[in-house]
């Protein structure tokens, strides 16, 4: 087995084990290279053709199912955590601190992964506006919907902050406050940034490109992918995909659809991540970032939710409304408005997971659901007590 495939072929007994990391040959000049990684995900994730309707002429869309990476439906977060938690353990941490929105997929994945490794987890969660008075209920129980249910089931410690406090103080300062509190209590905290998106976490999707290269050797695909499309929410996934696609033999164009902030913000942030591994390239040269945030982060329009419903109904693929749902909506909108840009191209869309976030939109999406009915059982059908065993 050569270096290009050694990381993706794993013994099933390596799950939840720490192992030395060897980068792909084409990434061996990057610096620093992680020393170890934890096996947390179920890789390689599947790839299959995605029969989306109304595609441009001769355009194909395929789907890489990182929503099937395990870790309680966490999607792309697992790949970053494999490197981040290996570093935490190497530094002797006894607890993890991270931060995100009230329905953060990253925070939920981190809470689960931490418990797998016998580490405590502290989550700083940004609350949403919950009523017409815009009152931010940071002093009341946040509930048990979606990701929060898993956070609390695995015993994560939760600190709530309002949108306003988050905007004024910032994620770095907030995690520093909690880190210092824990240090004063004699703990050994390890801080992971929003989305796990730092230069170390970027290696998760460098490794994903090696995995993809290996899969393409076995799939019956006539040519390599021309494009990779993916949601962008914190920048780490996009940074890893972009530099790895450029360095490897893949050479696919990376199309990122940002679901918060704006493209300029992410070009700058991705540049910082690339500089952190001495990539020596400009982010604007290796990735195209377009906005797909709509009315705002984690806020869905009726058209976006209708799109998520239609995709599920026509293809069986369930997209989350915050990340992949908005990214796929943005991609299909661009294909409709600029068909020549996409005609004849083979596109790989990376489904980054986040299904639990759909539960938080249940009330909004309920009106789009199909009708139900009571089953009609004719009176002439024989009936007998106890004939239908239920246990």
């Amino acid at each position: 087995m050569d270096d290009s495939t050694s990381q993706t072929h794993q013994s099933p007994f390596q799950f939840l084990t720490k192992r030395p990391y060897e980068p792909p040959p084409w990434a061996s000049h990057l610096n620093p290279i992680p020393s170890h990684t934890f096996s947390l995900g179920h890789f390689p994730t599947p790839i299959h053709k995605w029969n989306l309707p109304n595609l441009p002429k001769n355009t194909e869309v395929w789907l890489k199912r990182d929503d099937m990476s395990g870790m309680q439906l966490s999607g792309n977060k697992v790949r970053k955590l494999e490197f981040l938690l290996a570093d935490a353990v190497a530094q002797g941490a006894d607890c993890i601190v991270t931060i995100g929105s009230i329905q953060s997929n990253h925070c939920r994945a981190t809470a689960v992964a931490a418990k797998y490794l016998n580490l405590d987890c502290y989550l700083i969660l940004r609350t949403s506006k919950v009523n017409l008075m815009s009152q931010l209920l940071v002093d009341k129980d946040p509930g048990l919907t979606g990701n929060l249910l898993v956070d609390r089931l695995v015993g994560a410690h939760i600190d709530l902050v309002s949108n306003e406090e988050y905007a004024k103080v910032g994620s770095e300062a907030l995690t520093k406050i909690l880190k210092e509190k824990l240090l004063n209590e004699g703990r050994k905290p390890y801080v992971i940034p929003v989305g796990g998106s730092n230069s170390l976490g970027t290696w998760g999707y460098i490794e994903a490109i090696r995995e993809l290269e290996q899969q393409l050797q076995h799939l019956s695909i006539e040519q390599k992918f021309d494009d990779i499309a993916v949601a962008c929410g914190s920048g780490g996934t996009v940074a890893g995909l972009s530099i790895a696609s450029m360095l490897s033999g893949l050479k696919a164009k990376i199309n990122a659809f940002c679901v918060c902030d704006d493209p300029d913000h992410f070009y700058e942030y991705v540049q910082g991540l690339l500089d952190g591994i001495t990539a020596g390239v400009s982010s604007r040269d290796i990735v195209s970032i377009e906005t797909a945030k709509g009315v705002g982060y984690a806020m869905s329009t009726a058209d976006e939710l209708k799109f998520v419903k239609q995709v599920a109904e026509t293809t069986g693929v369930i997209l989350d409304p915050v990340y992949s749902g908005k990214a796929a909506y943005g991609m299909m909108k661009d294909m409709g408005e600029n068909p020549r840009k996409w005609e004849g191209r083979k596109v790989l869309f990376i489904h980054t997971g986040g299904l639990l976030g759909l539960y938080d939109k249940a009330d909004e999406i309920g009106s789009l659901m199909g009708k139900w009915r009571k089953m009609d059982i004719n009176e002439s059908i024989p009936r007998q007590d106890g004939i239908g065993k239920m246990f």
Side-chain angles (χ1 to χ4, degrees), residues 256-263 289-294 326 330:
F257 294 87
C258 60
V259 300
C260 56
D261 295 299
D262 56 65
I289 304 177
E290 300 179 28
T291 187
K293 71 178 180 180
K326 286 197 174 190

Side-chain angles (χ1 to χ4, degrees), residues 121-135:
C121 187
Y122 291 81
L123 304 178
I124 302 172
L125 300 181
R126 184 180 72 250
T127 63
S128 302
K129 295 184 177 181
V130 295
N131 59 28
L132 294 177
M133 299 299 292
S134 298
Q135 182 181 4

Side-chain angles (χ1 to χ4, degrees), residues 15 35 55 60 102 141 157 168 183 189 204 222 234 259 263 266 269 280 288 297 314 317 336 343 348 361 388:
F15 184 60
S35 61
L55 294 174
E60 291 183 11
I102 195 72
D141 192 305
H157 304 270
K168 293 176 181 178
L183 285 170
E222 295 180 359
S234 57
V259 300
F266 281 110
Y269 192 82
S288 171
Y297 175 73
T314 56
V317 173
E343 280 180 3
L348 179 67
K361 302 289 184 182

Side-chain angles (χ1 to χ4, degrees), residues 336-356:
E337 295 174 351
N338 305 289
R340 290 188 179 181
K341 171 182 170 183
W342 298 90
E343 280 180 3
R345 298 182 72 83
K346 198 179 298 291
V347 183
L348 179 67
F349 185 92
I350 298 180
H351 189 333
T352 51
L355 174 61
L356 288 171

